[in-house]
Amino acid sequence: MTGEPRPELQRDAERTRADLLAVATEVFAESGFSGARVDEIAERTRTTKRMIYYYFGGKEGLYMAVLEHAYRGIREAERRLQVDHVDPVVAMRKLAELTFDHHLDHQAFIRLVAIENIHRGEYIGRIDSLRSLGQPATSLLDEILARGHAQGVFRADVDALDVHLLISSYCVFQVANRYTFGFLFDVDFTDPRRRAHLRQMIGDVVVGWLTS
């Protein structure tokens, strides 16, 4: 015997951890860190508080794991984007549209980001892995920008962080302000036609800015 866990036990552990992260993401996004209850997460996953403490060490550990998992989701989506041999203008549009889709399809992520900013980054600052996790986002943009500069199609006074800030702020707004903006201007962000229009708009904005 090697002392290693049996494969089926390993799969059960991974499944339990994934279930806890999924439910905890929704609970923290709905109630914030202060309002979320470990008892509710345990009940909704049909597990126990003891199991949550076993995997994550407590409420803070679970919340930080949720944050890391949420940020990892957008980075993994970016890494799956195959634009190595794509025209840089087309590649930049694809990246902007992918970010738009991910944010709208993972609205709990945006609410978590808003909650963490309410706490002034108290918990994200303890997750050292997120600094390195953010690098692929700017690295991909650096690659696309470099090809655009080499071809003479992108302006030279813009860097990857500038583009990332522009795309992220636009995409976050679609979720973070959808109710207030929607009420004030009678806009339905759930309308598929509106979504398609706004999706194209971020691509137009980024490409138009970079090629001006």
Side-chain angles (χ1 to χ4, degrees), residues 30 61 82 84 105 129 133 184:
E30 291 165 5
Q82 301 296 319
D84 293 352
D105 293 338
S129 62
L133 194 61
L184 291 172

Side-chain angles (χ1 to χ4, degrees), residues 117-184:
N117 277 286
I118 289 173
H119 289 284
R120 301 185 180 184
E122 177 182 352
Y123 298 99
I124 198 172
R126 304 182 199 174
I127 311 173
D128 293 335
S129 62
L130 285 185
R131 289 190 183 278
S132 59
L133 194 61
Q135 291 175 359
T138 52
S139 295
L140 178 59
L141 281 166
D142 278 328
E143 292 174 14
I144 299 173
L145 286 171
R147 286 193 282 118
H149 293 153
Q151 295 179 23
V153 296
F154 286 163
R155 58 193 296 172
D157 60 341
V158 175
D159 64 21
L161 192 59
D162 294 332
V163 181
H164 184 59
L165 176 62
L166 175 62
I167 295 174
S168 293
S169 58
Y170 178 90
C171 295
V172 166
F173 186 94
Q174 311 299 318
V175 179
N177 294 65
R178 65 182 303 179
Y179 297 107
T180 52
F181 194 86
F183 172 76
L184 291 172

Side-chain angles (χ1 to χ4, degrees), residues 91-129:
M92 190 62 75
R93 180 180 291 277
K94 284 181 176 292
L95 179 58
E97 291 175 349
L98 176 143
T99 305
F100 181 88
D101 288 338
H102 185 89
H103 281 50
L104 265 69
D105 293 338
H106 299 82
Q107 296 190 17
F109 168 54
I110 308 305
R111 294 195 293 270
L112 286 169
V113 172
I115 289 165
E116 186 57 19
N117 277 286
I118 289 173
H119 289 284
R120 301 185 180 184
E122 177 182 352
Y123 298 99
I124 198 172
R126 304 182 199 174
I127 311 173
D128 293 335
S129 62

Side-chain angles (χ1 to χ4, degrees), residues 36-122:
R37 294 172 51 251
V38 176
D39 286 330
E40 179 184 356
I41 296 168
E43 181 179 347
R44 286 171 60 170
T45 52
R46 298 183 180 179
T47 185
T48 63
K49 287 176 62 176
R50 182 178 178 181
M51 189 66 71
I52 293 173
Y53 277 79
Y54 172 78
Y55 282 110
F56 301 101
K59 183 178 178 180
E60 285 191 6
L62 178 57
Y63 176 69
M64 289 190 288
V66 162
L67 277 179
E68 181 177 10
H69 182 71
Y71 275 98
R72 192 175 296 280
I74 180 62
R75 298 291 86 90
E76 289 176 351
E78 290 164 349
R79 280 196 290 268
R80 290 193 296 270
L81 188 65
Q82 301 296 319
V83 293
D84 293 352
H85 305 291
V86 177
D87 176 86
V89 173
V90 175
M92 190 62 75
R93 180 180 291 277
K94 284 181 176 292
L95 179 58
E97 291 175 349
L98 176 143
T99 305
F100 181 88
D101 288 338
H102 185 89
H103 281 50
L104 265 69
D105 293 338
H106 299 82
Q107 296 190 17
F109 168 54
I110 308 305
R111 294 195 293 270
L112 286 169
V113 172
I115 289 165
E116 186 57 19
N117 277 286
I118 289 173
H119 289 284
R120 301 185 180 184
E122 177 182 352

